[in-house]
Amino acid sequence: MFNVLRDLTAYSSGTKRSVKFVTHATLAASAALLLGIPAMGQGPSPAIGTTGDIHVYGDFDGDGRLDYAVWRPSNGTFYVQLTTGVTINGTLTTFVEQQLGAPGDIPVVGNYSGNVNSTTSLPITDYAVWRPANGTWYYVPSTPAGAAIKSLQWGASGDIPVVGDFDGDGKDDFVVWRPSTGTWYLTLSGNPTSQQFQWGNPGDVPLTGDFDGSGKSEMAVWRPSNGTWYVISGKDGSTFSKQWGAPGDIPYAADFDADGITDYAVWRPSQGNLWVSSSTAFEYVARSRPPTELVNSNKWEVGPLGAPGSLGKGVFVLVNGDFDGDGIPDFGLFDAGLSSGTPNAGSWYVVESSKPTTPVSQAFGLASDVPVPGFYSDAAPPGGSSTTTTDFAVWRPSNGVWYVLPSDGSTPYNVPWGAPNDIPVVGDYDGDGKVDFVVWRPGNGTWYCILTSKGPASPVVTQWGAFGDVPLSGSFIANTSGGPESDLVVWRPSTGTWWIANGTKSITEQRAFGAPGDLPIGGDFDGDGTSDVAVWRSFDRSLYFTPSTNPTTTSIVSLGVAGNQFIYNEPPVTPFIGAK
């Protein structure tokens, strides 16, 4: 049994990151949804890391390794840092920009063209978006350079695109699921005759994976009302079901045991637990980050963390931070041992913006540790321009100890603080610019804090919350002087209520936002420096948030499903933690 505990925040004020989305009103105002002319070229890798970027996952050069890539909604451009590279106009480049799409589109990368790398014979991911406004898929093959844009009108506004190979011919197909009727509409690459299947009910969550070893993507839905998975077999069209989960859970489909068959999993926000039912007949519960922060990379190697020649790589935790101190966020993964037999559990893989062609592999931590990167010390690496450089850090549930590896290479240190069932919540709670050592105890709803400005001799203990709540970190109460400081925040699933307290200002607030089954997310979505209350709603694949600049309104960003059975598909995209 794994014992991986997670912090329940997608925003860390300790690292001073913000997340920003364009609201639906703005998207509608973009009347000219123009599809740009494709442009590939070499560019500075710092182009990756702008607020509002969306992570996309794929192997865009066909070398068998996962590339670091984002899609930028504001200009409809993919920015990709390749692990091997491609030849453009006779020159090998490892950084590619591809303009495709417009604000309001949904990135749906996959292998639609069937192209493979001539050396490795492995499939190459194509750039692709789906446009809700007209139900059209647009895609560009990653190779050859300068390939023409292709399009297919398939779907309608309100549909959810689902990426996968449903006929098993090695190409991804064009598939949408219609929430209003629970109907799947398919145009398969091996059989262009359109097909449709009524499978699911309004309110279900569509997913895809190979649940029975058919070698194909299969149509699946998870029903929140009874926690049951319903699947159409890719072998013979028969149907089967699996009761796994409960109302309020969030479904997650991934291959945890690397046997080539998708497993059933649900994440329970009230516990921070990931419950897995594996096809190899074992079941377990693991303390884990939510699906927004998990990357299922069984299809490709993940830099040096992937064993050469093996496709089974496991499920990694997405971590963000400025590890090289250049003021630009870096891309990182942590192997928390969520899959069976992971050989590099406790290892980090980071693509630094200052030197993206030489990724960093850092062994620091153990399987079942919780990655809690942040700015804990005054460390700044040689050549770094930032004084807030992210340190490698983990929290160990087995002994309640925080372990920190300063980014400047100085001596690691540890701080004993917490108990096995606590939840670490990363943030800067005293406003001194450094991450504090803070845990929230679900059993009694109490926060235990060692503030860096006070030290371990003067811990702060505050009862705030109740059993079943979900703790978060963020600066929700505006701070008019000094830097942002994190508030004590819990979200109550039973009532959809946010309870917010700021210790230094002795201010408390209560806000009603969300419903049972939502995933609470704290982040600065309107860019004013104050965190906004937000929830991810699983069944309609949408992010709902109330901007602090206009708290009487609710903004909605519908993201659809961008991923296939090899990449996490609930929720489909992770908001990119943008620049400072």
Side-chain angles (χ1 to χ4, degrees):
M1 173 178 172
F2 293 92
N3 188 25
V4 182
L5 199 62
R6 62 166 298 275
D7 67 277
L8 291 166
T9 177
Y11 169 83
S12 168
S13 63
T15 51
K16 296 183 178 66
R17 303 286 187 252
S18 64
V19 183
K20 187 175 181 181
F21 277 89
V22 182
T23 67
H24 257 341
T26 305
L27 298 180
S30 302
L33 293 176
L34 301 178
L35 190 67
I37 298 174
M40 302 178 67
Q42 302 184 58
S45 61
I48 297 180
T50 297
T51 302
D53 285 356
I54 297 173
H55 281 303
V56 294
Y57 296 94
D59 178 9
F60 295 86
D61 52 7
D63 67 346
R65 290 189 172 184
L66 187 68
D67 297 314
Y68 172 28
V70 299
W71 183 74
R72 188 161 300 163
S74 61
N75 63 6
T77 301
F78 288 91
Y79 298 89
V80 183
Q81 183 65 57
L82 302 169
T83 50
T84 297
V86 295
T87 300
I88 300 177
N89 297 326
T91 302
L92 181 69
T93 180
T94 58
F95 184 74
V96 176
E97 298 181 25
Q98 173 67 56
Q99 204 290 322
L100 182 70
D105 289 352
I106 295 170
V108 286
V109 298
N111 182 260
Y112 299 92
S113 62
N115 287 347
V116 298
N117 184 304
S118 59
T119 301
T120 65
S121 299
L122 296 174
I124 301 174
T125 303
D126 300 322
Y127 307 98
V129 298
W130 184 75
R131 185 158 299 166
N134 59 10
T136 300
W137 300 67
Y138 301 91
Y139 68 98
V140 176
S142 296
T143 59
I149 296 173
K150 299 183 179 181
S151 65
L152 175 69
Q153 200 290 318
W154 189 248
S157 179
D159 289 350
I160 295 175
V162 185
V163 180
D165 178 11
F166 290 82
D167 56 4
D169 67 346
K171 299 180 183 180
D172 286 313
D173 305 306
F174 304 96
V175 178
V176 297
W177 186 74
R178 191 156 295 167
S180 60
T181 62
T183 302
W184 297 71
Y185 296 87
L186 303 88
T187 293
L188 306 177
S189 56
N191 180 7
T193 302
S194 61
Q195 305 177 38
Q196 67 181 62
F197 296 89
Q198 201 290 320
W199 190 246
N201 296 331
D204 288 352
V205 179
L207 302 108
T208 186
D210 182 2
F211 295 90
D212 61 358
S214 66
K216 303 175 183 178
S217 299
E218 296 168 331
M219 292 175 280
V221 296
W222 184 78
R223 190 154 296 161
S225 60
N226 60 11
T228 301
W229 300 67
Y230 299 91
V231 184
I232 298 180
S233 172
K235 292 180 178 179
D236 53 16
S238 61
T239 63
F240 56 94
S241 63
K242 169 74 174 181
Q243 203 292 319
W244 191 254
D249 291 348
I250 295 174
Y252 179 74
D255 181 9
F256 284 87
D257 50 8
D259 65 347
I261 299 177
T262 302
D263 304 312
Y264 307 93
V266 294
W267 188 76
R268 194 156 293 167
S270 61
Q271 302 172 340
N273 281 339
L274 185 71
W275 299 77
V276 180
S277 178
S278 166
S279 57
T280 51
F282 74 89
E283 298 177 350
Y284 65 91
V285 57
R287 283 299 183 101
S288 171
R289 293 178 180 269
T292 49
E293 300 173 47
L294 299 182
V295 179
N296 179 16
S297 184
N298 282 301
K299 188 176 182 181
W300 303 296
E301 295 179 9
V302 177
L305 300 186
S310 172
L311 291 181
K313 300 304 182 298
V315 178
F316 297 87
V317 179
L318 178 68
V319 291
N320 289 291
D322 181 8
F323 294 90
D324 54 2
D326 65 350
I328 298 172
D330 306 311
F331 169 73
L333 296 171
F334 175 74
D335 188 346
L338 291 176
S339 298
S340 64
T342 51
N344 296 286
S347 294
W348 302 65
Y349 172 64
V350 179
V351 179
E352 297 178 339
S353 58
S354 61
K355 44 183 183 296
T357 58
T358 55
V360 175
S361 182
Q362 177 68 56
F364 189 73
L366 302 175
S368 81
D369 282 354
V370 182
V372 286
F375 174 55
Y376 292 85
S377 60
D378 294 318
S385 60
S386 171
T387 58
T388 55
T389 302
T390 301
D391 302 316
F392 296 99
V394 297
W395 185 76
R396 190 158 297 162
S398 60
N399 59 9
V401 176
W402 298 66
Y403 296 87
V404 180
L405 176 63
S407 55
D408 64 353
S410 57
T411 304
Y413 62 92
N414 65 78
V415 176
W417 192 247
N421 289 323
D422 291 347
I423 296 175
V425 191
V426 178
D428 175 12
Y429 294 84
D430 53 3
D432 68 346
K434 299 180 183 179
V435 170
D436 303 306
F437 303 96
V438 177
V439 296
W440 186 75
R441 191 156 295 166
N444 59 13
T446 300
W447 297 72
Y448 298 86
C449 312
I450 292 181
L451 305 178
T452 52
S453 60
K454 298 180 180 294
S458 303
V460 177
V461 178
T462 304
Q463 201 288 322
W464 187 254
F467 180 78
D469 289 351
V470 180
L472 301 98
S473 176
S475 183
F476 293 86
I477 298 175
N479 188 6
T480 57
S481 61
E485 58 188 52
S486 299
D487 305 315
L488 306 181
V489 184
V490 295
W491 183 74
R492 191 154 296 163
S494 60
T495 61
T497 303
W498 297 67
W499 299 81
I500 305 169
N502 184 283
T504 60
K505 292 188 281 291
S506 299
I507 298 174
T508 62
E509 292 184 5
Q510 179 181 341
R511 306 179 192 177
F513 194 78
D518 289 346
L519 172 67
I521 297 175
D524 179 11
F525 292 89
D526 56 4
D528 67 341
T530 301
S531 298
D532 309 306
V533 294
V535 296
W536 170 263
R537 190 151 296 165
S538 183
F539 78 86
D540 66 359
R541 297 300 205 271
S542 294
L543 180 77
Y544 295 78
F545 68 96
T546 296
S548 56
T549 51
N550 193 359
T552 61
T553 64
T554 298
S555 297
I556 305 173
V557 179
S558 295
L559 297 177
V561 179
N564 55 32
Q565 70 270 32
F566 299 106
I567 299 299
Y568 71 96
N569 47 19
E570 172 52 48
V573 291
T574 299
F576 188 74
I577 308 301
K580 298 175 185 178

